[in-house]
Amino acid sequence: FALLLYGSNLALVSLFLRQWSAGERLAFPLITPAVETAREAPPGRTLNAFLRDPLMLAGAAVPCAVWGINGLKSYVPGLPEIPTSWSTYGWFADRPWSEFNLEYANVYFTMVGMTFLVTTQGSFSLWFIYALFRLSFVWVASLGAGATGYWGSWHWRVATFDVTGGFLVVGAFLVWTARPALAAWARRAAAGTRDAEQDPIPPRPALALILAGLAGMTGWSVLAGSSWWIALLGVVLFLVMLLVLTRIIAEVGLIFVQCGMIPYDVITGLLPASWLNGFTMNSLMMHKAVFTHDHREVFMPYAMDGARAAERFRLPVGRVLGVFAATAVLAMAVSAYARVATGYKYGAVNTDIWANEMAPNWFMGGVAKLRTNPPPFELVRVGGRDVFPVNGLHLLAGAGVAGALLALRARFAWWPLHPVGLIMCAPYTMSKFWFSIFLGWLLKTLVMRFGGARGYRRLLPLFLGFVLGESVIAALWMVVGLVTGTPSLAILPS
């Protein structure tokens, strides 16, 4: 299943890479620091121009100084600490305004630097719509503690079903926008030809990988006992989720993404429990437990960024994707053997408590709980009559909002909101990053307002220095922690 998934992911990367990099000219922010660092130094120089830039060095010095001092506290407890996080709990004492909680305002220099590379529309949408989402809890609280129906279980429903509606609309929009390129690709696949520039993977093998992925992953679930149509729906939702997450990373440069569009949660929430047998739910839960519990571990965004980096260095992208494929196969083989062998040698319960004890009971125990005690299938009541599933109405609402935002962006050049803000408003990611994104947006807005494009280009090394400096100081404290046996300083979200 994993290898079929990775194969289909590489084919989708080949299919959309040129459309996003050349057709839509996306920024691909995450590769910029690596590309600038890796550029060859001129003859007679040890470092390239970027690594010698005084502004870059000044930017790198800021996180190095802050985290350098804070890291020393592990060894010299009496040292003062430079604050980088502030709680928003308790801003308002009384309900319903006490429910307006932005959690923590954290300064992550990496995220501030990355946000400087992103369009102000994208970064504004991320922090502003997150604030609107948190503000919506004030309205829900004003309805009373017993809010039910559409307003009940507000966080879970928005994070799962409204977000899924947004994902589906954005996914459809990505395909619609790319339709000329996709049509040309389909003609080349039918004719058995290849455009060396447009097709890192030849069209026919790419098509075969996509179809094999769809059929193979669906077949795996069917062999595990799942209903065929739910298995196919789960795989399609899975691939749409990965495509849209990859687009988000390519466009707005989030270094850490999560989302509520997980096929198990969506399908079990939209369909009555009587439609789902235990085998179906088990196979869907395996998707969730293995591949989507932590979205930092999904494969496709890394492959897309790597392919774009290869383009920047004028390397043969098809060969680079071939290296990724070989690496995935080798890594799967080595890690699967090592995992099992280590478990038998030392006793699995003596190694990773989360993977060996907590996760299996949590994930598969959740399936058992849903089977033995399914929640009521709630319907919206209008005029005393049950009219429509509550979760389905949330999905339609999310799709409608995302569609409206896309339409307004297309109609009005000044429209400031991007649907990425809706898609990312509810996960843990934004509760950690909203303030750093706000700072990056504010600084870029001021630079563009008073310095224009020239000022932006001149100050870009400063912000890339934030990213490089935070990486360097994090690596330094990890090495020191290994040598001294002292736990290293946690800098980015755990």
Side-chain angles (χ1 to χ4, degrees):
F1 188 98
L3 293 176
L4 287 166
L5 172 65
Y6 296 158
S8 63
N9 286 177
L10 289 172
L12 289 171
V13 167
S14 176
L15 193 55
F16 282 91
L17 173 63
R18 292 297 295 169
Q19 168 65 24
W20 292 357
S21 66
E24 300 179 47
R25 303 185 68 82
L26 298 185
F28 289 86
L30 291 191
I31 70 169
T32 302
V35 167
E36 294 301 324
T37 302
R39 290 192 188 280
E40 190 173 355
R45 292 279 192 173
T46 304
L47 302 177
N48 62 29
F50 171 71
L51 293 175
R52 289 183 284 109
D53 191 305
L55 277 175
M56 189 286 294
L57 295 173
V62 175
C64 285
V66 172
W67 294 119
I69 292 172
N70 289 352
L72 284 173
K73 279 189 66 65
S74 299
Y75 303 91
V76 187
L79 281 178
E81 182 175 358
I82 300 175
T84 58
S85 180
W86 300 268
S87 173
T88 69
Y89 291 90
W91 276 6
F92 303 98
D94 301 319
R95 287 176 65 88
W97 283 98
S98 59
E99 295 302 307
F100 180 58
N101 171 30
L102 297 173
E103 299 198 24
Y104 285 88
N106 301 307
V107 176
Y108 297 113
F109 294 98
T110 299
M111 204 62 243
V112 175
M114 285 297 178
T115 303
F116 195 75
L117 299 169
V118 177
T119 64
T120 52
Q121 182 191 56
S123 55
F124 174 76
S125 300
L126 285 170
W127 72 262
F128 182 74
I129 295 180
Y130 171 73
L132 290 182
F133 170 62
R134 302 308 307 187
L135 188 62
S136 70
F137 285 84
V138 176
W139 165 255
V140 174
S142 72
L143 300 177
T148 58
Y150 184 81
W151 305 105
S153 303
W154 182 247
H155 189 284
W156 169 65
R157 286 196 163 112
V158 172
T160 303
F161 302 104
D162 294 72
V163 164
T164 295
F167 262 86
L168 294 175
V169 167
V170 171
F173 178 75
L174 295 179
V175 173
W176 173 259
T177 303
R179 66 192 185 282
L182 295 178
W185 175 84
R187 288 192 294 269
R188 293 193 296 274
T193 60
R194 179 187 184 185
D195 184 322
E197 184 178 2
Q198 298 292 329
D199 303 318
I201 301 175
R204 280 188 176 177
L207 178 61
L209 285 171
I210 293 171
L211 294 178
L214 279 171
M217 288 188 287
T218 301
W220 180 92
S221 297
V222 171
L223 289 173
S226 173
S227 305
W228 72 267
W229 65 276
I230 296 181
L232 178 60
L233 176 61
V235 170
V236 170
L237 289 175
F238 195 10
L239 293 177
V240 170
M241 178 197 74
L242 293 175
L243 179 66
V244 176
L245 283 180
T246 302
R247 170 64 179 230
I248 289 171
I249 293 169
E251 189 166 355
V252 299
L254 286 173
I255 62 173
F256 165 27
V257 292
Q258 287 183 319
C259 76
M261 186 189 171
I262 295 174
Y264 174 86
D265 296 335
V266 174
I267 292 173
T268 57
L270 288 177
L271 302 180
S274 60
W275 292 21
L276 304 169
N277 63 43
F279 297 109
T280 298
M281 295 170 66
N282 275 339
S283 64
L284 289 172
M285 179 55 87
M286 290 298 288
H287 299 188
K288 176 178 179 176
V290 178
F291 295 106
T292 61
H293 172 62
D294 191 333
H295 290 87
R296 286 172 288 193
E297 298 167 0
V298 297
F299 177 72
M300 188 173 167
Y302 296 100
M304 181 65 82
D305 273 351
R308 176 55 182 149
E311 277 193 328
R312 292 278 294 272
F313 281 112
R314 302 186 185 280
L315 298 174
V317 178
R319 292 185 183 181
V320 172
L321 293 180
V323 172
F324 290 170
T327 304
V329 172
L330 179 63
M332 285 288 296
V334 172
S335 61
Y337 172 79
R339 191 82 175 97
V340 176
T342 303
Y344 275 101
K345 182 174 182 179
Y346 298 104
V349 295
N350 298 319
T351 56
D352 186 345
I353 295 176
W354 161 251
N356 293 305
E357 294 186 56
M358 297 170 64
N361 282 286
W362 184 29
F363 289 119
M364 307 317 287
V367 174
K369 181 179 179 182
L370 198 62
R371 290 285 295 158
T372 57
N373 187 26
F377 188 69
E378 289 190 74
L379 298 169
V380 176
R381 295 184 66 83
V382 178
R385 299 178 60 185
D386 293 333
V387 177
F388 198 80
V390 173
N391 295 339
L393 189 60
H394 272 274
L395 187 145
L396 292 177
V401 172
L405 293 177
L406 287 170
L408 289 167
R409 288 184 71 221
R411 181 68 179 84
F412 303 107
W414 52 266
W415 180 254
L417 295 179
H418 189 295
V420 69
L422 169 68
I423 289 173
M424 297 305 301
C425 71
Y428 168 79
T429 305
M430 289 308 299
S431 70
K432 289 293 185 180
F433 283 155
W434 70 269
F435 186 66
S436 295
I437 293 172
F438 167 76
L439 289 178
W441 165 82
L442 179 63
L443 292 171
K444 182 172 182 178
T445 300
L446 293 173
V447 168
M448 294 299 293
R449 177 66 181 271
F450 298 107
R454 183 178 180 182
Y456 169 79
R457 287 192 297 270
R458 185 68 193 96
L459 289 175
L460 181 57
L462 176 73
F463 287 85
L464 293 180
F466 289 166
V467 180
L468 189 61
E470 195 159 61
S471 298
V472 167
I473 193 64
L476 174 65
W477 283 125
M478 282 193 286
V479 172
V480 172
L482 286 170
V483 172
T484 63
T486 301
S488 60
L489 179 68
I491 292 179
L492 293 176
S494 61

PDB file of all heavy atoms in Angstrom, residues 254-285:
ATOM      1  N   LEU A 254       4.291  26.808   4.691  1.00  0.00           N
ATOM      2  CA  LEU A 254       4.197  26.320   6.059  1.00  0.00           C
ATOM      3  C   LEU A 254       5.180  25.181   6.267  1.00  0.00           C
ATOM      4  O   LEU A 254       5.242  24.236   5.476  1.00  0.00           O
ATOM      5  CB  LEU A 254       2.776  25.836   6.354  1.00  0.00           C
ATOM      6  CG  LEU A 254       1.719  26.925   6.542  1.00  0.00           C
ATOM      7  CD1 LEU A 254       0.338  26.299   6.662  1.00  0.00           C
ATOM      8  CD2 LEU A 254       2.014  27.753   7.777  1.00  0.00           C
ATOM      9  N   ILE A 255       5.957  25.259   7.343  1.00  0.00           N
ATOM     10  CA  ILE A 255       6.953  24.219   7.596  1.00  0.00           C
ATOM     11  C   ILE A 255       6.340  23.026   8.319  1.00  0.00           C
ATOM     12  O   ILE A 255       7.013  22.019   8.533  1.00  0.00           O
ATOM     13  CB  ILE A 255       8.126  24.771   8.420  1.00  0.00           C
ATOM     14  CG1 ILE A 255       7.654  25.270   9.793  1.00  0.00           C
ATOM     15  CG2 ILE A 255       8.832  25.882   7.674  1.00  0.00           C
ATOM     16  CD1 ILE A 255       8.777  25.676  10.721  1.00  0.00           C
ATOM     17  N   PHE A 256       5.066  23.123   8.664  1.00  0.00           N
ATOM     18  CA  PHE A 256       4.406  22.070   9.434  1.00  0.00           C
ATOM     19  C   PHE A 256       2.914  22.206   9.161  1.00  0.00           C
ATOM     20  O   PHE A 256       2.334  23.252   9.420  1.00  0.00           O
ATOM     21  CB  PHE A 256       4.748  22.270  10.920  1.00  0.00           C
ATOM     22  CG  PHE A 256       3.893  21.520  11.897  1.00  0.00           C
ATOM     23  CD1 PHE A 256       3.266  20.331  11.575  1.00  0.00           C
ATOM     24  CD2 PHE A 256       3.736  22.003  13.182  1.00  0.00           C
ATOM     25  CE1 PHE A 256       2.491  19.655  12.495  1.00  0.00           C
ATOM     26  CE2 PHE A 256       2.965  21.339  14.120  1.00  0.00           C
ATOM     27  CZ  PHE A 256       2.347  20.158  13.768  1.00  0.00           C
ATOM     28  N   VAL A 257       2.302  21.174   8.575  1.00  0.00           N
ATOM     29  CA  VAL A 257       0.880  21.246   8.270  1.00  0.00           C
ATOM     30  C   VAL A 257       0.153  20.082   8.926  1.00  0.00           C
ATOM     31  O   VAL A 257       0.705  19.003   9.114  1.00  0.00           O
ATOM     32  CB  VAL A 257       0.596  21.232   6.751  1.00  0.00           C
ATOM     33  CG1 VAL A 257       1.090  22.491   6.089  1.00  0.00           C
ATOM     34  CG2 VAL A 257       1.185  19.997   6.087  1.00  0.00           C
ATOM     35  N   GLN A 258      -1.075  20.336   9.263  1.00  0.00           N
ATOM     36  CA  GLN A 258      -2.016  19.310   9.681  1.00  0.00           C
ATOM     37  C   GLN A 258      -3.361  19.666   9.077  1.00  0.00           C
ATOM     38  O   GLN A 258      -3.580  20.818   8.673  1.00  0.00           O
ATOM     39  CB  GLN A 258      -2.140  19.250  11.202  1.00  0.00           C
ATOM     40  CG  GLN A 258      -0.950  18.636  11.902  1.00  0.00           C
ATOM     41  CD  GLN A 258      -1.173  18.553  13.399  1.00  0.00           C
ATOM     42  OE1 GLN A 258      -1.695  19.475  14.006  1.00  0.00           O
ATOM     43  NE2 GLN A 258      -0.766  17.445  14.001  1.00  0.00           N
ATOM     44  N   CYS A 259      -4.251  18.701   8.995  1.00  0.00           N
ATOM     45  CA  CYS A 259      -5.594  19.021   8.514  1.00  0.00           C
ATOM     46  C   CYS A 259      -6.576  18.000   9.055  1.00  0.00           C
ATOM     47  O   CYS A 259      -6.190  16.899   9.458  1.00  0.00           O
ATOM     48  CB  CYS A 259      -5.640  19.068   6.984  1.00  0.00           C
ATOM     49  SG  CYS A 259      -5.639  17.449   6.201  1.00  0.00           S
ATOM     50  N   GLY A 260      -7.850  18.378   9.063  1.00  0.00           N
ATOM     51  CA  GLY A 260      -8.893  17.495   9.553  1.00  0.00           C
ATOM     52  C   GLY A 260      -9.498  16.635   8.477  1.00  0.00           C
ATOM     53  O   GLY A 260     -10.383  15.822   8.765  1.00  0.00           O
ATOM     54  N   MET A 261      -9.064  16.798   7.215  1.00  0.00           N
ATOM     55  CA  MET A 261      -9.623  15.982   6.137  1.00  0.00           C
ATOM     56  C   MET A 261      -8.918  14.638   6.117  1.00  0.00           C
ATOM     57  O   MET A 261      -8.061  14.362   5.290  1.00  0.00           O
ATOM     58  CB  MET A 261      -9.475  16.673   4.787  1.00  0.00           C
ATOM     59  CG  MET A 261     -10.175  15.904   3.675  1.00  0.00           C
ATOM     60  SD  MET A 261      -9.790  16.555   2.054  1.00  0.00           S
ATOM     61  CE  MET A 261     -10.516  15.282   1.013  1.00  0.00           C
ATOM     62  N   ILE A 262      -9.290  13.787   7.055  1.00  0.00           N
ATOM     63  CA  ILE A 262      -8.756  12.433   7.140  1.00  0.00           C
ATOM     64  C   ILE A 262      -9.885  11.490   6.736  1.00  0.00           C
ATOM     65  O   ILE A 262     -10.981  11.549   7.320  1.00  0.00           O
ATOM     66  CB  ILE A 262      -8.243  12.140   8.556  1.00  0.00           C
ATOM     67  CG1 ILE A 262      -7.050  13.067   8.860  1.00  0.00           C
ATOM     68  CG2 ILE A 262      -7.860  10.686   8.722  1.00  0.00           C
ATOM     69  CD1 ILE A 262      -6.549  12.985  10.272  1.00  0.00           C
ATOM     70  N   PRO A 263      -9.678  10.640   5.732  1.00  0.00           N
ATOM     71  CA  PRO A 263     -10.797   9.837   5.206  1.00  0.00           C
ATOM     72  C   PRO A 263     -11.594   9.099   6.272  1.00  0.00           C
ATOM     73  O   PRO A 263     -12.827   9.063   6.211  1.00  0.00           O
ATOM     74  CB  PRO A 263     -10.093   8.884   4.239  1.00  0.00           C
ATOM     75  CG  PRO A 263      -8.924   9.667   3.732  1.00  0.00           C
ATOM     76  CD  PRO A 263      -8.454  10.473   4.918  1.00  0.00           C
ATOM     77  N   TYR A 264     -10.919   8.516   7.263  1.00  0.00           N
ATOM     78  CA  TYR A 264     -11.655   7.787   8.315  1.00  0.00           C
ATOM     79  C   TYR A 264     -12.635   8.711   9.023  1.00  0.00           C
ATOM     80  O   TYR A 264     -13.816   8.380   9.194  1.00  0.00           O
ATOM     81  CB  TYR A 264     -10.674   7.188   9.314  1.00  0.00           C
ATOM     82  CG  TYR A 264     -11.344   6.548  10.509  1.00  0.00           C
ATOM     83  CD1 TYR A 264     -11.766   5.233  10.460  1.00  0.00           C
ATOM     84  CD2 TYR A 264     -11.554   7.270  11.689  1.00  0.00           C
ATOM     85  CE1 TYR A 264     -12.403   4.643  11.551  1.00  0.00           C
ATOM     86  CE2 TYR A 264     -12.180   6.694  12.782  1.00  0.00           C
ATOM     87  CZ  TYR A 264     -12.604   5.382  12.709  1.00  0.00           C
ATOM     88  OH  TYR A 264     -13.235   4.812  13.796  1.00  0.00           O
ATOM     89  N   ASP A 265     -12.160   9.887   9.454  1.00  0.00           N
ATOM     90  CA  ASP A 265     -13.022  10.801  10.201  1.00  0.00           C
ATOM     91  C   ASP A 265     -14.152  11.333   9.329  1.00  0.00           C
ATOM     92  O   ASP A 265     -15.291  11.470   9.788  1.00  0.00           O
ATOM     93  CB  ASP A 265     -12.187  11.965  10.744  1.00  0.00           C
ATOM     94  CG  ASP A 265     -11.147  11.515  11.752  1.00  0.00           C
ATOM     95  OD1 ASP A 265     -11.359  10.458  12.387  1.00  0.00           O
ATOM     96  OD2 ASP A 265     -10.124  12.197  11.901  1.00  0.00           O
ATOM     97  N   VAL A 266     -13.845  11.657   8.079  1.00  0.00           N
ATOM     98  CA  VAL A 266     -14.857  12.223   7.189  1.00  0.00           C
ATOM     99  C   VAL A 266     -15.930  11.196   6.882  1.00  0.00           C
ATOM    100  O   VAL A 266     -17.136  11.468   6.996  1.00  0.00           O
ATOM    101  CB  VAL A 266     -14.204  12.730   5.885  1.00  0.00           C
ATOM    102  CG1 VAL A 266     -15.270  13.178   4.892  1.00  0.00           C
ATOM    103  CG2 VAL A 266     -13.242  13.863   6.178  1.00  0.00           C
ATOM    104  N   ILE A 267     -15.524   9.990   6.501  1.00  0.00           N
ATOM    105  CA  ILE A 267     -16.492   8.977   6.079  1.00  0.00           C
ATOM    106  C   ILE A 267     -17.333   8.493   7.247  1.00  0.00           C
ATOM    107  O   ILE A 267     -18.563   8.366   7.138  1.00  0.00           O
ATOM    108  CB  ILE A 267     -15.761   7.817   5.377  1.00  0.00           C
ATOM    109  CG1 ILE A 267     -15.189   8.293   4.041  1.00  0.00           C
ATOM    110  CG2 ILE A 267     -16.693   6.628   5.165  1.00  0.00           C
ATOM    111  CD1 ILE A 267     -14.307   7.303   3.339  1.00  0.00           C
ATOM    112  N   THR A 268     -16.701   8.236   8.406  1.00  0.00           N
ATOM    113  CA  THR A 268     -17.489   7.777   9.554  1.00  0.00           C
ATOM    114  C   THR A 268     -18.391   8.872  10.097  1.00  0.00           C
ATOM    115  O   THR A 268     -19.387   8.582  10.773  1.00  0.00           O
ATOM    116  CB  THR A 268     -16.572   7.270  10.677  1.00  0.00           C
ATOM    117  OG1 THR A 268     -15.655   8.310  11.055  1.00  0.00           O
ATOM    118  CG2 THR A 268     -15.799   6.047  10.238  1.00  0.00           C
ATOM    119  N   GLY A 269     -18.075  10.134   9.812  1.00  0.00           N
ATOM    120  CA  GLY A 269     -18.929  11.227  10.256  1.00  0.00           C
ATOM    121  C   GLY A 269     -20.052  11.548   9.305  1.00  0.00           C
ATOM    122  O   GLY A 269     -21.091  12.084   9.708  1.00  0.00           O
ATOM    123  N   LEU A 270     -19.869  11.228   8.009  1.00  0.00           N
ATOM    124  CA  LEU A 270     -20.898  11.546   7.013  1.00  0.00           C
ATOM    125  C   LEU A 270     -21.898  10.430   6.803  1.00  0.00           C
ATOM    126  O   LEU A 270     -23.047  10.677   6.416  1.00  0.00           O
ATOM    127  CB  LEU A 270     -20.244  11.883   5.667  1.00  0.00           C
ATOM    128  CG  LEU A 270     -19.517  13.218   5.561  1.00  0.00           C
ATOM    129  CD1 LEU A 270     -18.860  13.351   4.195  1.00  0.00           C
ATOM    130  CD2 LEU A 270     -20.476  14.386   5.791  1.00  0.00           C
ATOM    131  N   LEU A 271     -21.470   9.175   7.035  1.00  0.00           N
ATOM    132  CA  LEU A 271     -22.332   8.031   6.761  1.00  0.00           C
ATOM    133  C   LEU A 271     -22.876   7.446   8.057  1.00  0.00           C
ATOM    134  O   LEU A 271     -22.175   7.423   9.077  1.00  0.00           O
ATOM    135  CB  LEU A 271     -21.557   6.959   6.001  1.00  0.00           C
ATOM    136  CG  LEU A 271     -20.942   7.366   4.659  1.00  0.00           C
ATOM    137  CD1 LEU A 271     -20.212   6.185   4.038  1.00  0.00           C
ATOM    138  CD2 LEU A 271     -22.010   7.906   3.712  1.00  0.00           C
ATOM    139  N   PRO A 272     -24.111   6.938   8.055  1.00  0.00           N
ATOM    140  CA  PRO A 272     -24.626   6.253   9.246  1.00  0.00           C
ATOM    141  C   PRO A 272     -23.763   5.043   9.589  1.00  0.00           C
ATOM    142  O   PRO A 272     -23.207   4.378   8.705  1.00  0.00           O
ATOM    143  CB  PRO A 272     -26.033   5.827   8.809  1.00  0.00           C
ATOM    144  CG  PRO A 272     -26.390   6.717   7.658  1.00  0.00           C
ATOM    145  CD  PRO A 272     -25.101   7.011   6.965  1.00  0.00           C
ATOM    146  N   ALA A 273     -23.649   4.757  10.870  1.00  0.00           N
ATOM    147  CA  ALA A 273     -22.792   3.659  11.320  1.00  0.00           C
ATOM    148  C   ALA A 273     -23.235   2.326  10.729  1.00  0.00           C
ATOM    149  O   ALA A 273     -22.412   1.423  10.510  1.00  0.00           O
ATOM    150  CB  ALA A 273     -22.796   3.596  12.847  1.00  0.00           C
ATOM    151  N   SER A 274     -24.526   2.181  10.442  1.00  0.00           N
ATOM    152  CA  SER A 274     -25.029   0.919   9.888  1.00  0.00           C
ATOM    153  C   SER A 274     -24.511   0.648   8.482  1.00  0.00           C
ATOM    154  O   SER A 274     -24.600  -0.481   7.993  1.00  0.00           O
ATOM    155  CB  SER A 274     -26.560   0.932   9.874  1.00  0.00           C
ATOM    156  OG  SER A 274     -27.042   2.014   9.084  1.00  0.00           O
ATOM    157  N   TRP A 275     -23.977   1.665   7.798  1.00  0.00           N
ATOM    158  CA  TRP A 275     -23.438   1.482   6.448  1.00  0.00           C
ATOM    159  C   TRP A 275     -22.004   0.949   6.462  1.00  0.00           C
ATOM    160  O   TRP A 275     -21.469   0.605   5.414  1.00  0.00           O
ATOM    161  CB  TRP A 275     -23.460   2.811   5.693  1.00  0.00           C
ATOM    162  CG  TRP A 275     -24.831   3.306   5.367  1.00  0.00           C
ATOM    163  CD1 TRP A 275     -26.006   2.967   5.956  1.00  0.00           C
ATOM    164  CD2 TRP A 275     -25.154   4.267   4.367  1.00  0.00           C
ATOM    165  NE1 TRP A 275     -27.050   3.659   5.408  1.00  0.00           N
ATOM    166  CE2 TRP A 275     -26.558   4.470   4.420  1.00  0.00           C
ATOM    167  CE3 TRP A 275     -24.407   4.992   3.438  1.00  0.00           C
ATOM    168  CZ2 TRP A 275     -27.207   5.357   3.580  1.00  0.00           C
ATOM    169  CZ3 TRP A 275     -25.063   5.874   2.601  1.00  0.00           C
ATOM    170  CH2 TRP A 275     -26.448   6.051   2.667  1.00  0.00           C
ATOM    171  N   LEU A 276     -21.376   0.941   7.624  1.00  0.00           N
ATOM    172  CA  LEU A 276     -19.952   0.633   7.713  1.00  0.00           C
ATOM    173  C   LEU A 276     -19.746  -0.642   8.515  1.00  0.00           C
ATOM    174  O   LEU A 276     -20.173  -0.718   9.674  1.00  0.00           O
ATOM    175  CB  LEU A 276     -19.200   1.783   8.383  1.00  0.00           C
ATOM    176  CG  LEU A 276     -19.364   3.166   7.744  1.00  0.00           C
ATOM    177  CD1 LEU A 276     -18.798   4.240   8.676  1.00  0.00           C
ATOM    178  CD2 LEU A 276     -18.663   3.224   6.401  1.00  0.00           C
ATOM    179  N   ASN A 277     -19.092  -1.635   7.913  1.00  0.00           N
ATOM    180  CA  ASN A 277     -18.756  -2.818   8.696  1.00  0.00           C
ATOM    181  C   ASN A 277     -17.387  -2.631   9.359  1.00  0.00           C
ATOM    182  O   ASN A 277     -16.654  -1.687   9.066  1.00  0.00           O
ATOM    183  CB  ASN A 277     -18.792  -4.083   7.826  1.00  0.00           C
ATOM    184  CG  ASN A 277     -17.762  -4.060   6.702  1.00  0.00           C
ATOM    185  OD1 ASN A 277     -16.612  -3.677   6.900  1.00  0.00           O
ATOM    186  ND2 ASN A 277     -18.163  -4.490   5.515  1.00  0.00           N
ATOM    187  N   GLY A 278     -17.057  -3.541  10.249  1.00  0.00           N
ATOM    188  CA  GLY A 278     -15.816  -3.394  10.999  1.00  0.00           C
ATOM    189  C   GLY A 278     -14.579  -3.461  10.124  1.00  0.00           C
ATOM    190  O   GLY A 278     -13.587  -2.768  10.374  1.00  0.00           O
ATOM    191  N   PHE A 279     -14.622  -4.291   9.062  1.00  0.00           N
ATOM    192  CA  PHE A 279     -13.465  -4.380   8.170  1.00  0.00           C
ATOM    193  C   PHE A 279     -13.232  -3.066   7.433  1.00  0.00           C
ATOM    194  O   PHE A 279     -12.098  -2.637   7.231  1.00  0.00           O
ATOM    195  CB  PHE A 279     -13.679  -5.513   7.160  1.00  0.00           C
ATOM    196  CG  PHE A 279     -13.777  -6.869   7.793  1.00  0.00           C
ATOM    197  CD1 PHE A 279     -14.982  -7.544   7.838  1.00  0.00           C
ATOM    198  CD2 PHE A 279     -12.664  -7.464   8.357  1.00  0.00           C
ATOM    199  CE1 PHE A 279     -15.078  -8.793   8.417  1.00  0.00           C
ATOM    200  CE2 PHE A 279     -12.745  -8.724   8.943  1.00  0.00           C
ATOM    201  CZ  PHE A 279     -13.960  -9.393   8.982  1.00  0.00           C
ATOM    202  N   THR A 280     -14.322  -2.435   6.989  1.00  0.00           N
ATOM    203  CA  THR A 280     -14.210  -1.135   6.318  1.00  0.00           C
ATOM    204  C   THR A 280     -13.567  -0.106   7.233  1.00  0.00           C
ATOM    205  O   THR A 280     -12.646   0.620   6.843  1.00  0.00           O
ATOM    206  CB  THR A 280     -15.597  -0.646   5.867  1.00  0.00           C
ATOM    207  OG1 THR A 280     -16.137  -1.562   4.919  1.00  0.00           O
ATOM    208  CG2 THR A 280     -15.515   0.739   5.244  1.00  0.00           C
ATOM    209  N   MET A 281     -14.048  -0.055   8.473  1.00  0.00           N
ATOM    210  CA  MET A 281     -13.526   0.934   9.418  1.00  0.00           C
ATOM    211  C   MET A 281     -12.071   0.637   9.777  1.00  0.00           C
ATOM    212  O   MET A 281     -11.261   1.555   9.917  1.00  0.00           O
ATOM    213  CB  MET A 281     -14.410   0.969  10.655  1.00  0.00           C
ATOM    214  CG  MET A 281     -15.824   1.468  10.355  1.00  0.00           C
ATOM    215  SD  MET A 281     -16.961   1.254  11.728  1.00  0.00           S
ATOM    216  CE  MET A 281     -16.256   2.366  12.913  1.00  0.00           C
ATOM    217  N   ASN A 282     -11.714  -0.651   9.889  1.00  0.00           N
ATOM    218  CA  ASN A 282     -10.327  -1.004  10.189  1.00  0.00           C
ATOM    219  C   ASN A 282      -9.382  -0.537   9.089  1.00  0.00           C
ATOM    220  O   ASN A 282      -8.313   0.017   9.356  1.00  0.00           O
ATOM    221  CB  ASN A 282     -10.196  -2.520  10.367  1.00  0.00           C
ATOM    222  CG  ASN A 282     -10.527  -2.970  11.775  1.00  0.00           C
ATOM    223  OD1 ASN A 282     -10.492  -2.187  12.712  1.00  0.00           O
ATOM    224  ND2 ASN A 282     -10.862  -4.236  11.925  1.00  0.00           N
ATOM    225  N   SER A 283      -9.757  -0.773   7.826  1.00  0.00           N
ATOM    226  CA  SER A 283      -8.868  -0.395   6.728  1.00  0.00           C
ATOM    227  C   SER A 283      -8.724   1.118   6.640  1.00  0.00           C
ATOM    228  O   SER A 283      -7.628   1.635   6.393  1.00  0.00           O
ATOM    229  CB  SER A 283      -9.375  -0.967   5.407  1.00  0.00           C
ATOM    230  OG  SER A 283     -10.632  -0.421   5.049  1.00  0.00           O
ATOM    231  N   LEU A 284      -9.822   1.845   6.861  1.00  0.00           N
ATOM    232  CA  LEU A 284      -9.744   3.308   6.863  1.00  0.00           C
ATOM    233  C   LEU A 284      -8.891   3.807   8.023  1.00  0.00           C
ATOM    234  O   LEU A 284      -8.124   4.768   7.887  1.00  0.00           O
ATOM    235  CB  LEU A 284     -11.142   3.915   6.944  1.00  0.00           C
ATOM    236  CG  LEU A 284     -12.018   3.795   5.698  1.00  0.00           C
ATOM    237  CD1 LEU A 284     -13.436   4.276   6.011  1.00  0.00           C
ATOM    238  CD2 LEU A 284     -11.439   4.595   4.537  1.00  0.00           C
ATOM    239  N   MET A 285      -8.998   3.149   9.171  1.00  0.00           N
ATOM    240  CA  MET A 285      -8.209   3.567  10.317  1.00  0.00           C
ATOM    241  C   MET A 285      -6.724   3.328  10.086  1.00  0.00           C
ATOM    242  O   MET A 285      -5.874   4.085  10.567  1.00  0.00           O
ATOM    243  CB  MET A 285      -8.667   2.836  11.577  1.00  0.00           C
ATOM    244  CG  MET A 285      -7.879   3.203  12.831  1.00  0.00           C
ATOM    245  SD  MET A 285      -7.863   4.989  13.178  1.00  0.00           S
ATOM    246  CE  MET A 285      -9.376   5.140  14.129  1.00  0.00           C
TER     247      MET A 285
END
